[in-house]
Amino acid sequence: MSNENYISYSATQDFLSARRRSSTLIASGVMLCIFSPIVLLILISLTRLDILTWSINFATGIGVIVLLTFIATAVALFIAGNRWLKVHENYEYEDCNLSNNVREKIIKENKVYENQHMIFKIIGITFCILSAIPLMSGALFVDALASSRLDDWLFFSDAFTRWHWRLFLS
């Protein structure tokens, strides 16, 4: 193998940094897409429950503006994340070699990342399971709320469930 196929440690760090940056941007965009209807749902629910004195049209208008803002921001993050992937695209498709020293450093860094990733995955899965609690709690209010009020509560708890679900998965 020729020496020109070896990638330096700094080039490897640049590549891994770009991948982390891209992953963060794309994950943030996905989170915004999932969060986008939450404000709309909460504002409509709070208005229908008479907690807010706004008209339903005003609450819906504000909610849609927030939803569109979140989606526009998410699209911008997707484009920016893709840009960071394109910067080092050549490493994805070329046969590249790492020196033993660089390989050992990368393996060591990967072990640190694996531990953090496992902790966040445990937290995320736990929150996914627990996120059903707000929605299921609607059954507790069947007798206390009239049919329309129960619908409003379930509408609100759906929004809360969406927020809760994405809290630690981004």
Side-chain angles (χ1 to χ4, degrees), residues 44-165:
I44 291 171
S45 298
L46 294 177
T47 301
R48 291 181 65 187
L49 288 167
D50 294 327
I51 295 171
L52 289 178
T53 58
W54 298 347
S55 73
I56 196 75
N57 290 338
F58 183 76
T60 302
I62 296 295
V64 169
I65 289 169
V66 172
L67 181 142
L68 292 174
T69 303
F70 279 20
I71 296 297
T73 304
V75 169
L77 291 172
F78 294 148
I79 292 168
N82 187 48
R83 183 237 181 246
W84 285 108
L85 288 177
K86 294 286 183 190
V87 168
H88 297 288
E89 186 177 46
N90 56 323
Y91 292 140
E92 295 282 340
Y93 303 108
E94 282 183 21
D95 286 333
C96 300
N97 299 306
L98 300 174
S99 68
N100 288 336
N101 187 24
V102 171
R103 185 181 316 275
E104 288 173 15
K105 287 179 181 179
I106 299 299
I107 289 171
K108 205 180 282 186
E109 289 175 14
N110 191 40
K111 286 184 183 190
V112 170
Y113 170 76
E114 283 178 2
N115 290 335
Q116 291 173 344
H117 183 70
M118 181 188 65
I119 289 167
F120 285 127
K121 188 181 281 189
I122 290 168
I123 292 169
I125 290 170
T126 302
F127 272 91
C128 283
I129 293 167
L130 295 176
S131 70
I133 292 172
L135 195 56
M136 300 308 244
S137 70
L140 299 173
F141 299 104
V142 170
D143 294 331
L145 298 173
S147 284
S148 65
R149 293 293 188 199
L150 181 62
D151 290 343
D152 295 338
W153 170 255
L154 290 176
F155 201 66
F156 176 77
S157 62
D158 175 58
F160 185 77
T161 298
R162 286 175 182 261
W163 171 79
H164 195 250
W165 183 74

Side-chain angles (χ1 to χ4, degrees), residues 34-50:
I34 292 170
F35 279 174
S36 65
I38 292 174
V39 173
L40 174 64
L41 295 173
I42 288 173
L43 289 177
I44 291 171
S45 298
L46 294 177
T47 301
R48 291 181 65 187
L49 288 167
D50 294 327

